[in-house]
Short mmCIF file of all heavy atoms in Angstrom, two decimals:
data_model
loop_
_atom_site.label_atom_id
_atom_site.label_comp_id
_atom_site.label_asym_id
_atom_site.label_seq_id
_atom_site.Cartn_x
_atom_site.Cartn_y
_atom_site.Cartn_z
N ASP Y 102 49.13 38.11 -35.42
CA ASP Y 102 47.89 37.38 -35.23
C ASP Y 102 46.79 37.86 -36.19
O ASP Y 102 46.05 37.05 -36.77
CB ASP Y 102 47.38 37.53 -33.77
CG ASP Y 102 48.29 36.77 -32.79
OD1 ASP Y 102 49.05 35.90 -33.25
OD2 ASP Y 102 48.22 37.08 -31.59
N ARG Y 103 46.74 39.17 -36.34
CA ARG Y 103 45.71 39.75 -37.22
C ARG Y 103 45.93 39.32 -38.68
O ARG Y 103 45.00 38.95 -39.36
CB ARG Y 103 45.76 41.30 -37.15
CG ARG Y 103 44.90 41.86 -36.02
CD ARG Y 103 44.60 43.36 -36.28
NE ARG Y 103 45.78 44.18 -36.41
CZ ARG Y 103 46.44 44.73 -35.36
NH1 ARG Y 103 45.95 44.55 -34.12
NH2 ARG Y 103 47.48 45.47 -35.56
N ALA Y 104 47.19 39.36 -39.11
CA ALA Y 104 47.47 38.99 -40.50
C ALA Y 104 47.09 37.52 -40.73
O ALA Y 104 46.46 37.17 -41.72
CB ALA Y 104 48.95 39.19 -40.80
N LEU Y 105 47.45 36.65 -39.79
CA LEU Y 105 47.17 35.23 -39.96
C LEU Y 105 45.68 34.98 -39.89
O LEU Y 105 45.12 34.20 -40.67
CB LEU Y 105 47.90 34.39 -38.89
CG LEU Y 105 49.44 34.38 -39.04
CD1 LEU Y 105 50.07 33.64 -37.87
CD2 LEU Y 105 49.85 33.78 -40.36
N ALA Y 106 44.99 35.72 -38.99
CA ALA Y 106 43.53 35.55 -38.89
C ALA Y 106 42.81 35.98 -40.17
O ALA Y 106 41.78 35.44 -40.55
CB ALA Y 106 42.99 36.34 -37.69
N SER Y 107 43.41 36.96 -40.86
CA SER Y 107 42.78 37.46 -42.07
C SER Y 107 43.10 36.54 -43.28
O SER Y 107 42.63 36.79 -44.37
CB SER Y 107 43.24 38.89 -42.39
OG SER Y 107 44.57 38.85 -42.88
N GLY Y 108 43.95 35.57 -43.05
CA GLY Y 108 44.29 34.63 -44.08
C GLY Y 108 45.44 35.06 -44.95
O GLY Y 108 45.80 34.39 -45.95
N LYS Y 109 46.09 36.19 -44.60
CA LYS Y 109 47.24 36.65 -45.42
C LYS Y 109 48.48 35.84 -45.10
O LYS Y 109 48.73 35.55 -43.94
CB LYS Y 109 47.50 38.13 -45.09
CG LYS Y 109 46.77 39.11 -45.94
CD LYS Y 109 47.53 40.45 -45.98
CE LYS Y 109 47.18 41.20 -47.24
NZ LYS Y 109 48.03 42.32 -47.54
N PRO Y 110 49.27 35.50 -46.09
CA PRO Y 110 50.58 34.94 -45.79
C PRO Y 110 51.43 36.00 -45.11
O PRO Y 110 51.37 37.19 -45.46
CB PRO Y 110 51.17 34.58 -47.19
CG PRO Y 110 50.32 35.24 -48.20
CD PRO Y 110 49.02 35.66 -47.55
N ALA Y 111 52.20 35.56 -44.12
CA ALA Y 111 52.94 36.54 -43.31
C ALA Y 111 54.45 36.21 -43.28
O ALA Y 111 54.80 35.01 -43.25
CB ALA Y 111 52.38 36.55 -41.90
N LEU Y 112 55.25 37.25 -43.30
CA LEU Y 112 56.71 37.06 -43.34
C LEU Y 112 57.34 37.83 -42.19
O LEU Y 112 57.03 39.02 -41.97
CB LEU Y 112 57.22 37.59 -44.66
CG LEU Y 112 58.75 37.56 -44.85
CD1 LEU Y 112 59.29 36.09 -44.92
CD2 LEU Y 112 59.18 38.28 -46.12
N LEU Y 113 58.22 37.17 -41.42
CA LEU Y 113 59.02 37.82 -40.42
C LEU Y 113 60.48 37.78 -40.88
O LEU Y 113 60.95 36.73 -41.23
CB LEU Y 113 58.95 37.14 -39.04
CG LEU Y 113 57.57 36.78 -38.49
CD1 LEU Y 113 57.76 36.16 -37.09
CD2 LEU Y 113 56.68 38.00 -38.37
N GLU Y 114 61.12 38.91 -40.80
CA GLU Y 114 62.60 38.93 -41.10
C GLU Y 114 63.30 39.29 -39.82
O GLU Y 114 63.25 40.41 -39.36
CB GLU Y 114 62.84 39.97 -42.20
CG GLU Y 114 64.29 40.05 -42.63
CD GLU Y 114 64.99 41.28 -42.07
OE1 GLU Y 114 64.65 42.40 -42.46
OE2 GLU Y 114 65.91 41.07 -41.23
N ILE Y 115 63.86 38.27 -39.16
CA ILE Y 115 64.43 38.44 -37.82
C ILE Y 115 65.73 37.70 -37.66
O ILE Y 115 66.15 36.98 -38.59
CB ILE Y 115 63.39 37.96 -36.74
CG1 ILE Y 115 63.07 36.47 -36.92
CG2 ILE Y 115 62.13 38.83 -36.81
CD1 ILE Y 115 62.09 35.95 -35.90
N ASP Y 116 66.36 37.83 -36.49
CA ASP Y 116 67.62 37.15 -36.31
C ASP Y 116 67.36 35.70 -35.79
O ASP Y 116 66.24 35.29 -35.55
CB ASP Y 116 68.54 37.90 -35.36
CG ASP Y 116 68.33 37.53 -33.91
OD1 ASP Y 116 67.15 37.39 -33.51
OD2 ASP Y 116 69.30 37.38 -33.16
N LEU Y 117 68.47 34.98 -35.68
CA LEU Y 117 68.40 33.54 -35.36
C LEU Y 117 67.77 33.29 -33.98
O LEU Y 117 66.98 32.34 -33.86
CB LEU Y 117 69.82 33.00 -35.41
CG LEU Y 117 69.97 31.52 -35.10
CD1 LEU Y 117 69.24 30.69 -36.09
CD2 LEU Y 117 71.47 31.21 -35.12
N GLN Y 118 68.13 34.09 -33.01
CA GLN Y 118 67.55 33.90 -31.66
C GLN Y 118 66.03 34.04 -31.73
O GLN Y 118 65.31 33.27 -31.09
CB GLN Y 118 68.08 34.98 -30.69
CG GLN Y 118 69.58 35.11 -30.65
CD GLN Y 118 69.95 36.40 -29.88
OE1 GLN Y 118 69.87 36.42 -28.66
NE2 GLN Y 118 70.33 37.44 -30.61
N GLY Y 119 65.57 35.02 -32.48
CA GLY Y 119 64.13 35.26 -32.63
C GLY Y 119 63.48 34.09 -33.35
O GLY Y 119 62.39 33.62 -33.02
N ALA Y 120 64.16 33.57 -34.39
CA ALA Y 120 63.62 32.47 -35.18
C ALA Y 120 63.40 31.25 -34.27
O ALA Y 120 62.37 30.56 -34.37
CB ALA Y 120 64.54 32.10 -36.33
N ARG Y 121 64.33 31.02 -33.34
CA ARG Y 121 64.21 29.89 -32.42
C ARG Y 121 63.00 30.07 -31.52
O ARG Y 121 62.29 29.10 -31.21
CB ARG Y 121 65.46 29.73 -31.58
CG ARG Y 121 66.62 29.20 -32.41
CD ARG Y 121 67.87 29.06 -31.56
NE ARG Y 121 68.95 28.43 -32.32
CZ ARG Y 121 70.19 28.90 -32.32
NH1 ARG Y 121 70.51 29.96 -31.62
NH2 ARG Y 121 71.11 28.29 -33.05
N GLN Y 122 62.75 31.28 -31.11
CA GLN Y 122 61.60 31.53 -30.22
C GLN Y 122 60.29 31.30 -30.98
O GLN Y 122 59.34 30.73 -30.46
CB GLN Y 122 61.63 32.95 -29.67
CG GLN Y 122 62.79 33.25 -28.70
CD GLN Y 122 62.89 34.70 -28.39
OE1 GLN Y 122 61.93 35.37 -28.13
NE2 GLN Y 122 64.11 35.22 -28.42
N VAL Y 123 60.24 31.75 -32.24
CA VAL Y 123 59.02 31.55 -33.02
C VAL Y 123 58.79 30.06 -33.23
O VAL Y 123 57.66 29.59 -33.15
CB VAL Y 123 59.11 32.29 -34.38
CG1 VAL Y 123 57.89 32.00 -35.22
CG2 VAL Y 123 59.24 33.79 -34.16
N ARG Y 124 59.86 29.32 -33.47
CA ARG Y 124 59.72 27.85 -33.64
C ARG Y 124 59.03 27.24 -32.43
O ARG Y 124 58.19 26.37 -32.55
CB ARG Y 124 61.09 27.23 -33.85
CG ARG Y 124 61.13 25.74 -33.65
CD ARG Y 124 61.66 24.98 -34.85
NE ARG Y 124 60.82 25.10 -36.01
CZ ARG Y 124 61.14 24.76 -37.24
NH1 ARG Y 124 62.39 24.35 -37.47
NH2 ARG Y 124 60.33 24.90 -38.25
N GLU Y 125 59.40 27.70 -31.23
CA GLU Y 125 58.81 27.14 -30.00
C GLU Y 125 57.37 27.60 -29.84
O GLU Y 125 56.52 26.80 -29.41
CB GLU Y 125 59.59 27.65 -28.79
CG GLU Y 125 60.85 26.89 -28.55
CD GLU Y 125 61.34 27.01 -27.13
OE1 GLU Y 125 60.72 27.73 -26.32
OE2 GLU Y 125 62.39 26.42 -26.86
N ARG Y 126 57.11 28.86 -30.15
CA ARG Y 126 55.77 29.39 -29.86
C ARG Y 126 54.77 29.14 -30.99
O ARG Y 126 53.56 29.08 -30.72
CB ARG Y 126 55.87 30.88 -29.57
CG ARG Y 126 56.54 31.11 -28.24
CD ARG Y 126 56.96 32.51 -27.99
NE ARG Y 126 57.99 32.48 -26.93
CZ ARG Y 126 58.74 33.48 -26.60
NH1 ARG Y 126 58.66 34.64 -27.22
NH2 ARG Y 126 59.64 33.38 -25.64
N MET Y 127 55.25 29.03 -32.18
CA MET Y 127 54.39 28.77 -33.31
C MET Y 127 55.00 27.68 -34.19
O MET Y 127 55.64 27.95 -35.21
CB MET Y 127 54.19 30.05 -34.17
CG MET Y 127 53.57 31.20 -33.36
SD MET Y 127 53.31 32.66 -34.37
CE MET Y 127 51.62 32.41 -34.85
N PRO Y 128 54.84 26.42 -33.72
CA PRO Y 128 55.54 25.32 -34.42
C PRO Y 128 55.15 25.18 -35.89
O PRO Y 128 55.88 24.54 -36.67
CB PRO Y 128 55.10 24.08 -33.62
CG PRO Y 128 54.47 24.58 -32.40
CD PRO Y 128 54.01 25.97 -32.63
N GLU Y 129 54.04 25.77 -36.27
CA GLU Y 129 53.59 25.70 -37.68
C GLU Y 129 54.40 26.62 -38.58
O GLU Y 129 54.26 26.55 -39.80
CB GLU Y 129 52.11 25.94 -37.79
CG GLU Y 129 51.67 27.38 -37.56
CD GLU Y 129 51.46 27.74 -36.11
OE1 GLU Y 129 52.00 27.02 -35.25
OE2 GLU Y 129 50.77 28.73 -35.83
N ALA Y 130 55.16 27.51 -37.99
CA ALA Y 130 55.96 28.47 -38.81
C ALA Y 130 56.99 27.69 -39.63
O ALA Y 130 57.52 26.67 -39.20
CB ALA Y 130 56.63 29.48 -37.90
N PHE Y 131 57.29 28.24 -40.80
CA PHE Y 131 58.25 27.59 -41.70
C PHE Y 131 59.53 28.46 -41.67
O PHE Y 131 59.47 29.65 -41.98
CB PHE Y 131 57.68 27.52 -43.11
CG PHE Y 131 58.45 26.70 -44.07
CD1 PHE Y 131 58.29 25.31 -44.08
CD2 PHE Y 131 59.33 27.28 -44.99
CE1 PHE Y 131 59.00 24.53 -44.99
CE2 PHE Y 131 60.03 26.51 -45.90
CZ PHE Y 131 59.86 25.12 -45.90
N LEU Y 132 60.63 27.87 -41.25
CA LEU Y 132 61.86 28.64 -41.05
C LEU Y 132 62.80 28.55 -42.26
O LEU Y 132 63.19 27.45 -42.67
CB LEU Y 132 62.59 28.14 -39.80
CG LEU Y 132 62.25 28.86 -38.49
CD1 LEU Y 132 60.76 28.83 -38.21
CD2 LEU Y 132 63.01 28.23 -37.34
N VAL Y 133 63.12 29.70 -42.80
CA VAL Y 133 63.99 29.73 -44.00
C VAL Y 133 65.32 30.40 -43.65
O VAL Y 133 65.36 31.49 -43.08
CB VAL Y 133 63.34 30.53 -45.14
CG1 VAL Y 133 64.26 30.62 -46.33
CG2 VAL Y 133 62.00 29.87 -45.52
N PHE Y 134 66.40 29.71 -43.96
CA PHE Y 134 67.76 30.23 -43.72
C PHE Y 134 68.25 30.85 -45.00
O PHE Y 134 68.33 30.20 -46.04
CB PHE Y 134 68.68 29.05 -43.32
CG PHE Y 134 70.05 29.50 -42.84
CD1 PHE Y 134 70.25 29.87 -41.53
CD2 PHE Y 134 71.14 29.48 -43.71
CE1 PHE Y 134 71.50 30.25 -41.04
CE2 PHE Y 134 72.39 29.89 -43.28
CZ PHE Y 134 72.60 30.25 -41.93
N LEU Y 135 68.58 32.15 -44.92
CA LEU Y 135 69.16 32.83 -46.10
C LEU Y 135 70.66 32.78 -45.92
O LEU Y 135 71.23 33.28 -44.96
CB LEU Y 135 68.67 34.29 -46.12
CG LEU Y 135 68.99 35.03 -47.43
CD1 LEU Y 135 68.24 34.43 -48.62
CD2 LEU Y 135 68.65 36.51 -47.30
N ALA Y 136 71.31 32.10 -46.86
CA ALA Y 136 72.76 31.85 -46.78
C ALA Y 136 73.49 32.71 -47.80
O ALA Y 136 72.98 32.95 -48.91
CB ALA Y 136 73.06 30.41 -47.02
N PRO Y 137 74.71 33.12 -47.49
CA PRO Y 137 75.52 33.82 -48.52
C PRO Y 137 76.17 32.77 -49.42
O PRO Y 137 76.25 31.62 -49.02
CB PRO Y 137 76.62 34.50 -47.67
CG PRO Y 137 76.78 33.60 -46.48
CD PRO Y 137 75.43 32.99 -46.22
N PRO Y 138 76.57 33.15 -50.61
CA PRO Y 138 77.27 32.17 -51.48
C PRO Y 138 78.52 31.62 -50.80
O PRO Y 138 78.87 30.48 -51.03
CB PRO Y 138 77.61 32.98 -52.73
CG PRO Y 138 76.69 34.16 -52.70
CD PRO Y 138 76.40 34.47 -51.29
N SER Y 139 79.16 32.43 -49.97
CA SER Y 139 80.33 31.99 -49.20
C SER Y 139 80.57 32.95 -48.04
O SER Y 139 80.03 34.05 -48.03
CB SER Y 139 81.58 31.99 -50.09
OG SER Y 139 81.92 33.32 -50.43
N PHE Y 140 81.40 32.53 -47.08
CA PHE Y 140 81.66 33.43 -45.96
C PHE Y 140 82.46 34.66 -46.42
O PHE Y 140 82.29 35.76 -45.97
CB PHE Y 140 82.40 32.68 -44.83
CG PHE Y 140 82.37 33.49 -43.56
CD1 PHE Y 140 81.23 33.57 -42.80
CD2 PHE Y 140 83.53 34.17 -43.11
CE1 PHE Y 140 81.21 34.32 -41.62
CE2 PHE Y 140 83.47 34.91 -41.96
CZ PHE Y 140 82.33 34.99 -41.19
N VAL Y 141 83.38 34.43 -47.39
CA VAL Y 141 84.17 35.54 -47.94
C VAL Y 141 83.23 36.60 -48.53
O VAL Y 141 83.40 37.79 -48.33
CB VAL Y 141 85.14 35.00 -49.01
CG1 VAL Y 141 85.79 36.15 -49.79
CG2 VAL Y 141 86.19 34.13 -48.37
N GLU Y 142 82.20 36.16 -49.21
CA GLU Y 142 81.25 37.08 -49.80
C GLU Y 142 80.46 37.83 -48.72
O GLU Y 142 80.15 38.99 -48.86
CB GLU Y 142 80.27 36.30 -50.75
CG GLU Y 142 79.12 37.07 -51.32
CD GLU Y 142 79.56 38.28 -52.19
OE1 GLU Y 142 80.74 38.36 -52.57
OE2 GLU Y 142 78.69 39.17 -52.38
N LEU Y 143 80.18 37.11 -47.62
CA LEU Y 143 79.46 37.74 -46.54
C LEU Y 143 80.30 38.90 -45.96
O LEU Y 143 79.80 40.01 -45.66
CB LEU Y 143 79.15 36.72 -45.43
CG LEU Y 143 78.26 37.16 -44.32
CD1 LEU Y 143 76.85 37.41 -44.82
CD2 LEU Y 143 78.23 36.13 -43.20
N VAL Y 144 81.59 38.66 -45.75
CA VAL Y 144 82.50 39.70 -45.24
C VAL Y 144 82.53 40.86 -46.17
O VAL Y 144 82.45 42.03 -45.80
CB VAL Y 144 83.93 39.11 -45.03
CG1 VAL Y 144 84.89 40.23 -44.61
CG2 VAL Y 144 83.91 38.00 -44.00
N ARG Y 145 82.60 40.56 -47.48
CA ARG Y 145 82.66 41.62 -48.48
C ARG Y 145 81.38 42.50 -48.41
O ARG Y 145 81.45 43.72 -48.46
CB ARG Y 145 82.78 40.95 -49.85
CG ARG Y 145 83.25 41.95 -50.96
CD ARG Y 145 83.12 41.32 -52.35
NE ARG Y 145 81.75 41.06 -52.73
CZ ARG Y 145 80.86 42.01 -53.06
NH1 ARG Y 145 81.20 43.25 -53.12
NH2 ARG Y 145 79.59 41.67 -53.38
N ARG Y 146 80.23 41.85 -48.23
CA ARG Y 146 78.97 42.60 -48.13
C ARG Y 146 78.94 43.46 -46.88
O ARG Y 146 78.47 44.61 -46.92
CB ARG Y 146 77.78 41.67 -48.16
CG ARG Y 146 77.54 41.03 -49.50
CD ARG Y 146 76.35 40.09 -49.53
NE ARG Y 146 76.37 39.29 -50.74
CZ ARG Y 146 75.46 38.37 -51.06
NH1 ARG Y 146 74.46 38.12 -50.23
NH2 ARG Y 146 75.56 37.70 -52.18
N LEU Y 147 79.41 42.94 -45.79
CA LEU Y 147 79.39 43.67 -44.55
C LEU Y 147 80.30 44.91 -44.60
O LEU Y 147 79.91 46.01 -44.16
CB LEU Y 147 79.78 42.76 -43.39
CG LEU Y 147 79.60 43.33 -41.96
CD1 LEU Y 147 78.22 43.88 -41.76
CD2 LEU Y 147 79.92 42.28 -40.95
#
Side-chain angles (χ1 to χ4, degrees):
D102 289 343
R103 273 199 301 274
L105 293 175
S107 75
K109 270 204 155 194
L112 177 67
L113 311 184
E114 183 256 292
I115 60 179
D116 89 318
L117 180 62
Q118 308 167 77
R121 287 181 175 133
Q122 293 171 45
V123 176
R124 164 124 295 166
E125 280 201 359
R126 289 168 199 167
M127 301 183 94
E129 71 275 20
F131 191 81
L132 268 55
V133 177
F134 189 83
L135 191 65
S139 67
F140 194 74
V141 169
E142 174 60 16
L143 189 67
V144 174
R145 198 190 64 73
R146 287 180 194 180
L147 187 53

